[in-house]
Amino acid sequence: MPREPSEVLKRAAAMPQKGPDIGAAVRRGASLKRRRCAYITGAAIFVLAALSLGAAALSRSTAPVVPPSSRANRSGFVTYRGHNPTFSLRYPSTWYLARRSLTPNLANPRELFSMGTRPLQRRASNCAQLPKGALQDLSSTDAFLSIQERSGSGAGFRPRPADFKAIARPTKLECAPRRAPLMIYWLPFRDSGRNFYALIAIGKDASAKVVGQTWNALNSFSTTEQPRKAQLTLGPKTCSQPSPLKVRRPGFVDVTAVVKGGSARAVVMQGRPFPANADIKMVWRLTGSGPLHLFATGGPEEVNPRQLRKHLFPGLEGPGDEWGSVLKFPTPGCYVVHAQRTGTSAYIKILIQ
């Protein structure tokens, strides 16, 4: 039965009309925004962590290599002491020491140490006598220093100067090409009866500070300095009565030594009296191991040998190893000369007139 139009219109007006749900859309958008922010924050944290780890690894890989025998002081310098053979050197703590020899195929001369303003790498090379790889890595602002020692006698070694820079002249070295413009110096010199080569490379754009550091490091090279004061393990610091002497022949005076831990023999290679402020040659033979530490106490200051090197002297055979030394006592008096190796300590008392 057909309905009245008015009833149909009334029911149609009362029926709900379907349309977009604005509230739900807003809620979905907010949820997506929160998830997007969470993803971005997580990614940022991951990237920062990766960068931090990478920076830490890089700092470890390029940190200066400081051997256990080196010691930094407040001035920003490191004192490196080698004991076989004996030498010492001061260099800036910002420089890098080579982890190992850069010339492994070189037998004589032998590389004592190498250092530079950047980490030093050893690579295979057809240039046995020179650290070719390290020289190729240097930039025009870098500097490099290496010292080699030649055993036996050799010609062309001049006495070491007080200032190496004053006598240095650039040279050209074969089989050592480099990428950057460098000033190369090859300096043979003799110190304490030992023969050395110093190799210096300085970039042409290096700062005055780097240039000064390079030459100062070479000038600080010493073959006699030892950490002696802490090693006084036997004997007095002063004396009033000298040790007994035995003259075997002219210029060969045995001095009776007091010994602990082994055997020792001391010979003064000149006749009596022993004068002050003059070079006195003394030969020591000690058992034990390692280098000989030799110094004298009893005067106004500690006396260290001007020369100290291993050698063999006819007529001084016996157990242990032998060293020749030259000491200069500044004033008259009774001095205690201490000689120490690992496992053996000895001393003599000598009257200087």
Side-chain angles (χ1 to χ4, degrees), residues 184-218:
I184 304 291
Y185 304 89
W186 180 257
L187 304 172
F189 66 96
R190 186 173 180 83
D191 189 13
S192 300
R194 297 160 62 183
N195 299 324
F196 301 95
Y197 296 110
L199 172 62
I200 295 280
I202 302 176
K204 290 190 175 181
D205 298 324
S207 66
K209 179 180 179 180
V210 169
V211 173
Q213 289 175 340
T214 308
W215 293 112
N216 287 339
L218 179 55

Side-chain angles (χ1 to χ4, degrees), residues 30-273:
S31 177
L32 289 173
K33 184 176 180 181
R34 284 194 300 270
R35 274 185 276 179
R36 191 182 305 114
C37 290
Y39 293 151
I40 293 173
T41 302
I45 293 174
F46 177 79
V47 170
L48 289 174
L51 290 174
S52 298
L53 291 174
L58 180 62
S59 65
R60 286 194 299 271
S61 65
T62 59
V65 181
V66 180
S69 57
S70 299
R71 182 175 57 193
N73 57 35
R74 293 182 180 179
S75 65
F77 285 82
V78 173
T79 299
Y80 176 70
R81 291 183 174 90
H83 297 297
N84 190 21
T86 301
F87 68 91
S88 65
L89 178 132
R90 295 180 73 247
Y91 67 95
S93 59
T94 55
W95 282 45
Y96 300 83
L97 278 177
R99 294 175 181 269
R100 50 186 179 174
S101 172
L102 302 179
T103 52
N105 298 322
L106 190 61
N108 189 20
R110 180 168 67 94
E111 181 182 329
L112 296 184
F113 67 90
S114 293
M115 62 181 62
T117 52
R118 67 169 52 226
L120 304 172
Q121 301 296 328
R122 186 178 78 181
R123 291 191 291 272
S125 169
N126 58 353
C127 190
Q129 70 272 27
L130 297 173
K132 183 177 179 180
L135 292 176
Q136 287 181 326
D137 288 341
L138 298 178
S139 72
S140 63
T141 60
D142 285 318
F144 172 81
L145 167 61
S146 181
I147 291 186
Q148 302 170 358
E149 180 173 8
R150 174 174 286 281
S151 60
S153 60
F157 293 89
R158 297 184 296 178
R160 70 163 293 165
D163 183 6
F164 282 93
K165 185 179 180 181
I167 67 163
R169 299 294 182 269
T171 186
K172 292 183 179 180
L173 298 178
E174 298 180 357
C175 81
R178 53 258 186 199
R179 298 190 183 98
L182 304 174
M183 301 293 288
I184 304 291
Y185 304 89
W186 180 257
L187 304 172
F189 66 96
R190 186 173 180 83
D191 189 13
S192 300
R194 297 160 62 183
N195 299 324
F196 301 95
Y197 296 110
L199 172 62
I200 295 280
I202 302 176
K204 290 190 175 181
D205 298 324
S207 66
K209 179 180 179 180
V210 169
V211 173
Q213 289 175 340
T214 308
W215 293 112
N216 287 339
L218 179 55
N219 287 337
S220 74
F221 178 75
S222 171
T223 58
T224 59
E225 183 200 2
Q226 294 293 329
R228 301 179 180 91
K229 292 184 179 180
Q231 298 177 352
L232 184 59
T233 58
L234 177 67
K237 292 186 178 181
T238 60
C239 63
S240 57
Q241 185 70 28
S243 301
L245 305 178
K246 184 176 183 180
V247 180
R248 294 185 175 272
R249 61 178 185 263
F252 198 99
V253 181
D254 261 307
V255 187
T256 303
V258 178
V259 191
K260 177 182 178 182
S263 66
R265 184 180 177 187
V267 176
V268 179
M269 307 301 294
Q270 70 177 62
R272 296 175 293 173

Side-chain angles (χ1 to χ4, degrees), residues 284-339:
W284 281 85
R285 177 174 281 274
L286 264 77
T287 57
S289 62
L292 174 67
H293 303 298
L294 187 67
F295 60 101
T297 58
E301 59 184 13
E302 183 178 291
V303 177
N304 298 315
R306 299 181 62 181
Q307 294 183 15
L308 180 64
R309 62 187 181 92
K310 294 185 70 172
H311 72 2
L312 292 175
F313 187 85
L316 201 64
E317 294 78 10
D321 301 308
E322 182 181 312
W323 282 264
S325 64
V326 175
L327 295 95
K328 190 172 185 178
F329 300 91
T331 58
C334 186
Y335 288 81
V336 184
V337 183
H338 307 265

